[in-house]
Amino acid sequence: MTSAAASSPAAKLALAVVTEPERAVPAPVGAREDAMRSLLQTAADAGITRVATRPQGDQERLLGQAWPFPSPFAVSVRAVALSEGLDRVEARARRSLERMGLPRGDVLLVSGAGDLAGAEGRALWDRMLSLKDRGLYRRIGFLTTMEDGPVLLARRFQPDVVQIPCNILDQRPVTEGTLADLAGLGVEVHASSVFARGLLFANRETLPPGLSAYGVALSRTRRRLAEARTDPMQAALAFCLNLPPVAAVVASVASAAEMRAVLAAAHAPSPDLDWSTLALEEPAALTTGSQFAVSNAA
């Protein structure tokens, strides 16, 4: 990678393709494959080199049929939940690679840190290590939230990668030093939920009952962004892309058009904002809140 490419915001982005019906436009199978191919090519042309997947629906199959050749992407795979059984976790991790037509993956992630905290946590990690030792995955790690105590888990299991929600509404990973602590342990940190699970783009009228109390605060945040002449997507990406401990910013997109919108926002000048004024006072509910369907962003 050239120095110019390495300094591009796209080099820090990771693409999470969305295929859920509420986001993806319904289309015949052939058209869906063409749309996936266009999305991946748009990302590749922009210099994105990471793709994050999860084992649901036909996402992996579509990816496997649409990779650019040669593919520039390193792929991270989310394992199924431990509740499905250790054998199932291992078999599905192997199957994910087969469905995508890949001889090996870059990262395999435990689907939730709670799986590691339970009685079978060590056995699960040993299965992950075994897949790494056999060369099926280059690195292993886990998805976590602030409530999971990610730094303690990282000290215990010594993961290569940790993926954690972080955004302008929930800045706890920054303000509480979690990102810096993880990086200090030699962990590669990936930031997810950068658009606050769609809350940055939701209207007060569309908030579910459990999050309705955030309506006033969200309106205030959007007003401050408008006063700074910054749209929510641009602000969200600027905040995470400029965090030194973060190696990758996971942005979910459902189409090539959304990919272009994310890229344009990522390359926009970083806004001059007091980030602390944008955070919610009690953001913990965001980690379990409902996902919002939005038309222009993840």
Side-chain angles (χ1 to χ4, degrees):
M1 180 182 295
T2 66
S3 58
S7 63
S8 167
K12 202 170 180 178
L13 286 174
L15 168 63
V17 179
V18 177
T19 57
E20 288 86 345
E22 64 269 19
R23 285 281 303 282
V25 178
V29 174
R32 293 182 68 204
E33 292 173 357
D34 289 341
M36 179 70 79
R37 192 170 294 109
S38 176
L39 168 54
L40 291 175
Q41 191 62 59
T42 299
D45 290 344
I48 293 176
T49 60
R50 311 172 198 245
V51 171
T53 72
R54 59 176 66 189
Q56 65 182 36
D58 60 354
Q59 180 195 87
E60 293 171 337
R61 181 190 63 80
L62 285 170
L63 286 170
Q65 295 177 345
W67 296 123
F69 183 82
S71 175
F73 299 116
V75 179
S76 66
V77 172
R78 184 182 303 191
V80 297
L82 179 57
S83 59
E84 297 190 28
L86 286 169
D87 290 342
R88 171 65 175 162
V89 171
E90 179 176 344
R92 192 62 182 81
R94 294 174 178 272
R95 179 60 176 155
S96 290
L97 296 178
E98 293 173 3
R99 285 170 61 86
M100 291 186 288
L102 301 175
R104 65 190 59 84
D106 181 40
V107 183
L108 178 63
L109 296 169
V110 176
S111 62
D115 284 350
L116 293 175
E120 290 190 290
R122 178 54 65 178
L124 171 61
W125 195 248
D126 287 343
R127 291 289 186 106
M128 304 272 284
L129 282 170
S130 177
L131 290 170
K132 177 182 176 180
D133 291 342
R134 294 173 188 173
L136 291 177
Y137 289 91
R138 190 167 69 88
R139 301 180 292 171
I140 59 175
F142 57 82
L143 281 76
T144 186
T145 67
M146 288 295 292
E147 289 70 31
D148 295 320
V151 176
L152 291 176
L153 281 172
R155 289 187 178 128
R156 178 183 176 190
F157 290 99
Q158 299 181 313
D160 301 304
V161 177
V162 167
Q163 181 172 312
I164 184 170
C166 183
N167 52 72
I168 59 177
L169 299 181
D170 185 359
Q171 300 179 24
R172 292 175 298 163
V174 180
T175 58
E176 297 183 19
T178 300
L179 299 184
D181 289 345
L182 289 170
L185 294 172
V187 175
E188 182 173 294
V189 180
H190 294 184
S192 62
S193 298
V194 295
F195 301 126
R197 302 171 66 86
L199 275 176
L200 283 171
F201 312 98
N203 297 319
R204 292 179 62 179
E205 295 75 16
T206 62
L207 292 175
L211 295 175
S212 59
Y214 289 102
V216 173
L218 288 170
S219 295
R220 183 171 60 248
T221 293
R222 280 194 291 270
R223 184 175 65 252
R224 285 171 173 161
L225 292 177
E227 290 170 350
R229 298 184 178 181
T230 301
D231 68 72
M233 183 186 293
Q234 179 185 347
L237 289 169
F239 176 71
C240 290
L241 287 169
N242 288 303
L243 294 173
V246 172
V249 175
V250 183
S252 62
V253 297
S255 66
E258 286 190 7
M259 184 76 263
R260 287 190 290 270
V262 167
L263 288 166
H267 282 85
S270 183
D272 183 15
L273 291 166
D274 181 353
W275 298 112
S276 64
T277 65
L278 306 177
L280 298 180
E281 292 183 2
E282 298 180 2
L286 301 187
T287 60
T288 56
S290 300
Q291 180 74 38
F292 293 90
V294 291
S295 58
N296 296 317

